[in-house]
Amino acid sequence: MPSPGDSGAREQWPLWEVFVRSSRGLSHVHAGSLHAPDETMAVRNARDLYTRRNEGVSVWVVRASDITASDPDAKGAFFESPQGKDFRHAIYYTKSEGVAHL
Amino acid sequence: MSVKQRQAPTGIMTPELIETEIKGGLAATDSVGQYALGLGDDALVLAQRLGEWIANGPELEEDIALGNIGLDILGHARSFLTYAGSAWGKTEDDLAYFRSEPEFRCRQLFEQPIGDFAQTIARQLIASVYFDSLYRALMHSADPTLAAIAAKATKEVDYHLDHSTQWLLRLGLGTDESALRMQRGLDAMWPFVAELYSAEPVVESAAASVASVASAASAASVAEDDRGSLEGIAVDPRALRAEFDAVVPLLIEQAGLVVPKTGSVRGGGRLGIHSEAFGPMLAEMQVLARQHPGASW
């Protein structure tokens, strides 16, 4: 399966995926991608592109080719199997009689 | 002055804030205005040069990085020029768009053409090392406005210095071609280093005028002279040279390159003497404001 950024002959710098944490206690969230010659410059480019308006306190970059992703064509088998399995949600269950503090 | 000392800025200084203070009565003396004008012109002209990379960068990301650095520096220029203008009732736009070439006070390093990417990085490295030590020293200026502008600028320059250093190392240690170009860039910019670290003429002349007033028989009756001494207010660039010599040659060697041994240009940017490339740059910068005065969008 091709990774994002692998295609295109004119592309010279590798593609990096950028994750930004907006404040302490939250997790890093995917913000977008960019090109950079190496990881050090990728962090700097990410700072320029994705934290211009005080968006972040921390930045992660991952080489796009190092990400293994699910197959977008295998949607059915991958993501539709939970359908009809309502018992996986807490809301499926009714409160039993005589149980206190629920 | 060369001590690596940082003090937390008390407030973020912006050109708009300075403008408000000017409306409230803040005004620079003539000599402080002249000093701020020189610093403002350095920043304005460098920002204009960096702007030439927009849509011309080697990669989109680098285009944005150089544009970002240019805009930071334009912010410094706006603050310095707004403050300088308060000495003569002029706005930042009056000073940027309606002065002619000999009225500009920038040191000649900043007006040099951008050259290739390596030459731009060479200039930016030299400029960032200079700004870094200059603004760290200026943070302790007796003039609170200059100190506040410097306190804001110093954080930004920190990043500019890092950006140039990273690229110096990558180009120097990259391919034969990139090393050759980086070396050529350094060789082209080196002749302007001596002027960058030469004395501030306005500081010298202010000191001389204070001395002559003091030695005059009527000294006691002279009210506080408007062209007062800049002692404690301005930074003497000559005192910052040691820091440049301690940092830059080492970086160049780390990048596998040779410290240039070129001579120095005659200089004189602070006196309004400029190199050939400055006129066309200025024309491009000013044409819109001059053809359509007061234009806004």
Side-chain angles (χ1 to χ4, degrees), chain B residues 208-250:
Chain B
S209 93
V210 166
S212 71
V213 166
S215 66
S218 59
S221 66
V222 173
E224 203 176 321
D225 186 29
D226 188 39
R227 288 186 61 87
S229 163
L230 287 169
E231 176 117 39
I233 293 174
V235 176
D236 186 347
R238 290 172 295 185
L240 309 173
R241 179 64 199 250
E243 209 168 313
F244 180 92
D245 290 335
V247 171
V248 179
L250 210 65

Side-chain angles (χ1 to χ4, degrees), chain A residues 10 12-13 33-38 40-41 43-45 47-49 52, chain B residues 58-59 61-62 64-66 68 71-72 155-156 159 162-163 166-167 170:
Chain A
R10 263 211 77 234
Q12 301 196 341
W13 285 354
S33 54
L34 53 79
H35 294 97
D38 54 49
T40 313
M41 295 311 292
V43 171
R44 280 155 182 79
N45 289 347
R47 173 258 192 208
D48 285 342
L49 284 163
R52 290 173 61 83
Chain B
E59 291 280 340
E61 285 75 2
E62 205 40 49
I64 292 168
L66 288 173
N68 237 354
L71 285 174
D72 282 350
K155 270 201 261 178
E156 296 170 340
Y159 180 75
D162 175 71
H163 177 267
Q166 295 295 335
W167 274 114
R170 276 161 184 76

Side-chain angles (χ1 to χ4, degrees), chain B residues 4-296:
Chain B
K4 280 259 176 196
Q5 193 181 358
R6 272 172 209 288
Q7 108 191 343
T10 46
I12 300 299
M13 186 50 94
T14 63
E16 290 74 18
L17 193 59
I18 297 172
E19 220 173 304
T20 312
E21 288 183 6
I22 290 170
K23 282 189 188 124
L26 174 75
T29 62
D30 182 67
S31 49
V32 170
Q34 294 287 351
Y35 178 61
L37 184 70
L39 301 185
D41 282 352
D42 286 347
L44 175 65
V45 168
L46 180 59
Q48 176 70 17
R49 283 297 187 200
L50 283 167
E52 291 177 26
W53 277 106
I54 291 170
N56 289 317
E59 291 280 340
L60 182 64
E61 285 75 2
E62 205 40 49
D63 206 285
I64 292 168
L66 288 173
N68 237 354
I69 292 172
L71 285 174
D72 282 350
I73 294 174
L74 186 66
H76 310 163
R78 291 189 54 211
S79 291
F80 282 126
L81 292 181
T82 300
Y83 186 44
S86 73
W88 317 294
K90 289 183 183 298
T91 66
E92 50 175 323
D93 282 4
D94 294 336
L95 293 173
Y97 295 129
F98 297 98
R99 276 184 300 154
S100 60
E101 199 180 321
E103 293 171 285
F104 272 81
R105 291 286 173 269
C106 52
R107 296 182 187 264
Q108 292 179 356
L109 173 77
F110 303 109
E111 72 205 34
Q112 296 313 306
I114 56 174
D116 61 9
F117 182 69
Q119 185 169 319
T120 285
I121 292 299
R123 187 230 314 267
Q124 206 57 41
L125 175 76
I126 294 168
S128 301
V129 170
Y130 169 73
F131 286 143
D132 182 52
S133 31
L134 172 69
Y135 293 152
R136 265 191 289 110
L138 195 61
M139 277 164 61
H140 305 287
S141 170
D143 183 301
T145 309
L146 291 177
I149 298 171
K152 175 174 191 290
T154 192
K155 270 201 261 178
E156 296 170 340
V157 168
D158 221 30
Y159 180 75
H160 307 166
L161 178 56
D162 175 71
H163 177 267
S164 321
T165 306
Q166 295 295 335
W167 274 114
L168 170 79
L169 296 172
R170 276 161 184 76
L171 295 174
L173 303 170
T175 63
D176 287 349
E177 176 72 13
S178 72
L180 178 73
R181 289 191 184 212
M182 193 63 239
Q183 185 66 56
R184 277 192 198 148
L186 289 168
D187 291 350
M189 293 298 114
W190 208 256
F192 299 95
V193 173
E195 187 209 1
L196 192 61
Y197 286 94
S198 63
E200 290 283 359
V202 59
V203 175
E204 309 285 288
S205 69
S209 93
V210 166
S212 71
V213 166
S215 66
S218 59
S221 66
V222 173
E224 203 176 321
D225 186 29
D226 188 39
R227 288 186 61 87
S229 163
L230 287 169
E231 176 117 39
I233 293 174
V235 176
D236 186 347
R238 290 172 295 185
L240 309 173
R241 179 64 199 250
E243 209 168 313
F244 180 92
D245 290 335
V247 171
V248 179
L250 210 65
L251 282 176
I252 293 174
E253 280 160 25
Q254 275 174 23
L257 301 169
V258 184
V259 180
K261 290 193 170 58
T262 56
S264 293
V265 295
R266 200 155 46 114
R270 278 281 191 269
L271 302 170
I273 301 166
H274 297 289
S275 47
E276 202 181 343
F278 186 50
M281 189 218 86
L282 202 58
E284 186 175 309
M285 187 177 88
Q286 295 180 330
V287 64
L288 187 76
R290 289 188 177 217
Q291 286 189 356
H292 305 278
S296 64

Side-chain angles (χ1 to χ4, degrees), chain A residues 83-98:
Chain A
Q83 282 173 12
K85 294 173 184 162
D86 292 349
F87 49 82
R88 288 184 180 173
H89 295 272
I91 199 168
Y92 175 83
Y93 299 94
T94 50
K95 186 177 151 187
S96 306
E97 255 176 68

